[in-house]
Amino acid sequence: MTLKKMKNIFKLFFLLFLGKSFAQTTLYKTLTDLSYYENLVNDAYQNKRCKLDLYYPEGVKNYSTVVWFHGGGLKSGSKAIPKLIKKKGLAVVAVNYRLHPKVNAPKYIEDAAAAVAWVFKNIER
């Protein structure tokens, strides 16, 4: 192996190690149960379900944001930050919404739109 190849391999390992150590030092913060409707109506179910959690890297600027809607066929489920997208340099907004049969369409669609609108309005903060 030539000296040049050995230097390139050393540089590659150094960069990989350095990159990994930077990724591990990023701290993440989670804010929970934030209401995404500005003016909640006098509806206990809406007040309970229409919340989101915000998970984001602290001290980092210009990161991407994912709005995550849980599964459940509009009949079940609850907000959660998926482990697979944690610590990836992203903000994740996990959204709860009202479920069928307690509400019908278009209520859960309105909830989703309100959550995304909240993200656009507030994510810079």
Side-chain angles (χ1 to χ4, degrees):
M1 185 176 296
T2 67
L3 182 59
K4 185 176 181 178
K5 278 188 178 182
M6 288 176 57
K7 284 182 180 181
N8 286 339
I9 290 172
F10 177 75
K11 286 179 189 176
L12 178 63
F13 281 115
F14 180 75
L15 289 173
L16 289 173
F17 175 76
L18 189 63
K20 185 173 179 168
S21 65
F22 276 133
Q24 290 176 345
T25 60
T26 301
L27 298 177
Y28 290 82
K29 185 170 184 176
T30 303
L31 304 176
T32 59
D33 292 328
L34 304 172
S35 177
Y36 54 82
Y37 276 108
E38 286 187 20
N39 300 313
L40 288 170
V41 295
N42 190 15
D43 177 349
Y45 187 57
Q46 181 188 32
N47 293 340
K48 176 184 174 189
R49 287 293 300 181
C50 295
K51 307 277 184 186
L52 57 82
D53 292 348
L54 174 58
Y55 169 87
Y56 64 96
E58 288 188 295
V60 177
K61 294 186 181 206
N62 300 321
Y63 48 79
S64 297
T65 302
V66 173
V67 180
W68 185 264
F69 293 95
H70 63 81
L74 302 174
K75 295 181 179 182
S76 65
S78 190
K79 62 183 169 51
I81 310 292
K83 290 180 183 178
L84 288 173
I85 55 177
K86 281 188 170 184
K87 297 185 179 180
K88 302 289 186 191
L90 302 168
V92 182
V93 179
V95 180
N96 259 358
Y97 46 88
R98 291 174 285 178
L99 302 170
H100 183 78
K102 288 190 177 184
V103 298
N104 293 312
K107 293 297 182 194
Y108 22 79
I109 298 165
E110 292 168 356
D111 292 347
V116 172
W118 184 95
V119 171
F120 276 97
K121 184 177 180 181
N122 294 284
I123 200 62
E124 285 190 39
R125 286 193 288 138

